[in-house]
């Protein structure tokens, strides 16, 4: 693929000017400062984990709070935050979340071989902050979903470089903090990378098992948290869940219809991921879109499933925009993101408790846009596929 002036890829992969750096930096800094001024102690969701760590340090059970849904290893990871004052957390948490999102974006670019100093690389985070509402929600909440949003691109970058063992370690470490990337274990199964699959399973099992032994009730995650998840949370939390399993009953569809329907769609997504892997040409698109389909399929049936989960998959797809065969080049990808534009008024969906209808639309259409798109058979390689053009010359595929 030529990256000359006649193709959008030429503009995207050219080296960004200092003006683009200034714009992106100003947008991200303003966002962090705004969140720091509004948040009390680093975001509501992060506060749940920190409160659980303080409860454990005081000799109590972190699982006494039914909204603490993490593995025991997350309690230990949150302990350093208990040593910091509230005013420090107000700044450090949104700053850390933003930094991890930018790092995940940089790794997603490298998976596709796009230079991080390119216009796409520099302006991408600012575009997400300004035009994608879940970005702001994740930073404001301080949710630990950001660990998955950073870990998945890094793991895929390692896998693209044939370091599947280390990719499994990265996924396993992310699972120990928040079990969101569990569906990616199927990617290692599809690729028959048994060492990486073993790391995905053993790392969180050993870390969480060891941390559980330090808790006053080691089995609380199984006896308290899992039943709470299986009961689909409480009525308040259910208003914010984006999966069809939660949204369809709110539209009058009986649960005995909504659950099998969502499971069938999710099963079709997993089948599509397997077909994408087994029949696709080796390269970054096959690797990324298989992993994305696995994650989206899980989001269709998982409880909970929130809008900021989209940060795990959308940057990976968006970073592949220079490829003519990528899902981000399709119109349905952009249609799926329309409800996530901040500030847009949607009749009868203005209330915050009704935004889950918009999130469900995005989730379903985004899954379809990736699953149904027929990839072009391009002989694309792994990282370092694109080269930044020199002044007065065109960039070409190498």
């Amino acid at each position: 693929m030529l990256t000359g002036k006649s193709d959008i890829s030429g503009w995207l992969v050219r080296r960004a000017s200092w003006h683009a750096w200034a714009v992106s930096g100003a947008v991200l800094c303003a966002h962090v400062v705004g969140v720091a001024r509004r948040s009390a102690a680093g975001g509501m969701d992060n506060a749940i984990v920190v409160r659980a760590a303080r409860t454990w340090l005081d000799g109590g059970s972190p699982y006494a709070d039914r909204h603490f849904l993490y593995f025991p290893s997350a309690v230990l990871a949150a302990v350093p935050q208990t040593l910091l004052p509230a005013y420090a957390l107000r700044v450090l948490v949104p700053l850390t979340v933003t930094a991890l999102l930018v790092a995940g974006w940089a790794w997603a670019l490298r998976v596709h071989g796009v230079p991080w100093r390119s216009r796409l690389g520099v302006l991408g985070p600012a575009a997400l902050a300004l035009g994608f509402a879940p970005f702001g929600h994740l930073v404001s909440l301080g949710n630990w979903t950001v660990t998955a949003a950073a870990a998945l691109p890094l793991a895929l970058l390692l896998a693209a470089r044939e370091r599947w063992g280390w990719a499994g370690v990265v996924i396993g470490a992310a699972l120990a903090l928040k079990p969101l990337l569990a569906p990616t274990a199927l990617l290692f199964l599809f690729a028959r990378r048994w060492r990486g699959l073993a790391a995905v399973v053993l790392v969180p099992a050993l870390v969480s098992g060891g941390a559980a032994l330090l808790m006053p009730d080691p089995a609380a995650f199984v006896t308290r948290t899992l039943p709470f998840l299986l009961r689909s949370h409480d009525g308040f939390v259910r208003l914010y869940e984006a999966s069809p399993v939660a949204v369809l009953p709110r539209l009058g569809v009986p649960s005995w219809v909504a659950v099998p329907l969502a499971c069938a769609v999710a099963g079709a997504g997993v089948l599509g991921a397997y077909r994408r892997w087994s029949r696709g040409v080796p390269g970054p698109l096959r690797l990324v879109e298989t992993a994305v389909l696995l994650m989206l399929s899980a989001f269709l049936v998982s409880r909970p499933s929130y809008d900021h989960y989209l940060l795990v998959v959308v940057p990976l797809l968006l970073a592949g925009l220079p490829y003519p065969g990528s899902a981000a080049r399709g119109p349905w990808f952009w249609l799926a993101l329309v409800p996530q534009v901040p500030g847009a008024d949607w009749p009868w969906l203005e209330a915050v408790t009704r935004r889950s209808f918009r999130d469900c639309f995005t989730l379903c259409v985004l899954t379809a846009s990736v699953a149904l798109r027929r990839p072009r058979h391009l002989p694309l390689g792994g990282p370092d596929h694109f080269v930044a053009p020199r002044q007065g010359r065109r960039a070409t595929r190498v």
Side-chain angles (χ1 to χ4, degrees), residues 1-384:
M1 177 186 67
L2 291 178
T3 58
K5 295 181 180 179
S6 60
D7 194 289
I8 188 175
S9 304
W11 189 89
L12 290 174
V13 302
R14 286 200 174 100
R15 189 162 183 168
S17 65
W18 70 268
H19 308 85
W21 284 94
V23 168
S24 188
V27 168
L28 295 178
C29 289
H31 195 70
V32 170
V33 173
V35 171
R37 293 182 61 190
R38 295 191 305 268
S39 64
M44 179 180 67
D45 291 354
N46 181 70
I48 293 175
V49 190
V50 176
R51 185 167 59 246
R54 288 198 177 102
T55 301
W56 173 69
L57 290 175
D58 293 336
S61 171
Y63 294 98
D65 183 356
R66 62 180 182 176
H67 291 125
F68 177 69
L69 307 177
Y70 299 81
F71 286 147
S73 49
V75 177
L76 301 184
V79 167
Q81 291 193 52
T82 64
L83 307 177
L84 298 175
Y87 66 83
L89 292 178
R90 293 180 64 175
V91 177
L92 290 178
V93 172
L95 181 62
T96 302
V97 172
T98 302
L100 286 175
L101 288 174
V102 172
W105 171 251
W107 287 323
L109 292 169
R110 299 311 300 143
V111 173
H112 292 285
V114 179
W116 63 270
R117 294 182 179 180
S118 63
R119 288 167 175 162
L120 178 62
V122 173
L123 295 175
L128 289 171
L130 293 174
F132 192 56
F135 186 101
H137 297 164
L138 183 59
V139 178
S140 298
L141 293 171
N143 194 282
W144 284 31
T145 295
V146 70
T147 59
L152 183 56
L154 177 58
L156 294 180
L157 177 60
L158 292 169
R161 294 177 173 175
E162 296 298 324
R163 299 176 181 176
W164 286 86
W166 284 110
V169 171
V170 171
I171 295 294
L175 289 175
L177 295 177
K178 183 170 184 175
L180 190 62
L181 295 182
T184 58
L186 291 176
L187 176 63
F188 293 83
L189 184 63
F190 294 165
R192 298 182 180 181
R193 302 290 180 163
W194 311 120
R195 183 178 299 178
L197 181 60
V200 170
V201 176
L202 292 178
V203 169
L206 294 176
V207 175
S208 297
L213 297 177
L214 302 176
M215 304 292 149
D217 48 353
F221 181 82
V222 177
T223 59
R224 294 185 183 182
T225 302
L226 285 182
F228 180 68
L229 289 171
L230 294 176
R231 289 196 303 267
S232 303
H233 295 102
D234 50 32
F236 173 76
V237 175
R238 196 175 300 121
L239 296 175
Y240 300 92
E241 294 182 350
S243 65
V245 175
V247 171
L248 289 178
R250 295 179 63 186
L251 295 174
V253 180
S255 296
W256 60 270
V257 175
V259 173
L261 179 61
C263 290
V265 175
V270 174
L271 178 60
Y274 176 74
R275 289 169 61 89
R276 182 69 181 93
W277 178 263
S278 60
R279 299 186 179 183
V281 176
L285 287 183
R286 182 180 74 154
L287 188 64
V288 167
E289 292 178 2
T290 301
V292 164
L293 269 179
L294 290 173
M295 293 304 304
L296 289 172
S297 299
F299 296 160
L300 289 171
V301 293
S302 65
R303 307 294 299 270
S305 182
Y306 301 125
D307 66 329
H308 51 75
Y309 286 8
L310 293 170
L311 266 300
V312 178
V313 295
V314 169
L316 276 167
L317 295 174
L318 190 61
L321 189 60
Y323 286 88
S326 68
R329 288 290 188 98
W332 291 102
F333 171 82
W334 298 101
L335 177 63
L337 302 185
V338 168
Q340 304 303 327
V341 176
D345 292 328
W346 299 93
W348 301 288
L349 299 178
E350 300 92 347
V352 66
T353 54
R354 289 191 173 185
R355 76 156 291 117
S356 58
F357 295 110
R358 289 184 277 158
D359 301 333
C360 184
F361 173 86
T362 297
L363 180 59
C364 294
V365 176
L366 189 62
T367 303
S369 70
V370 180
L372 300 179
R373 185 167 177 80
R374 298 181 63 179
R376 295 173 59 177
H377 290 263
L378 299 176
L380 299 175
D384 304 320

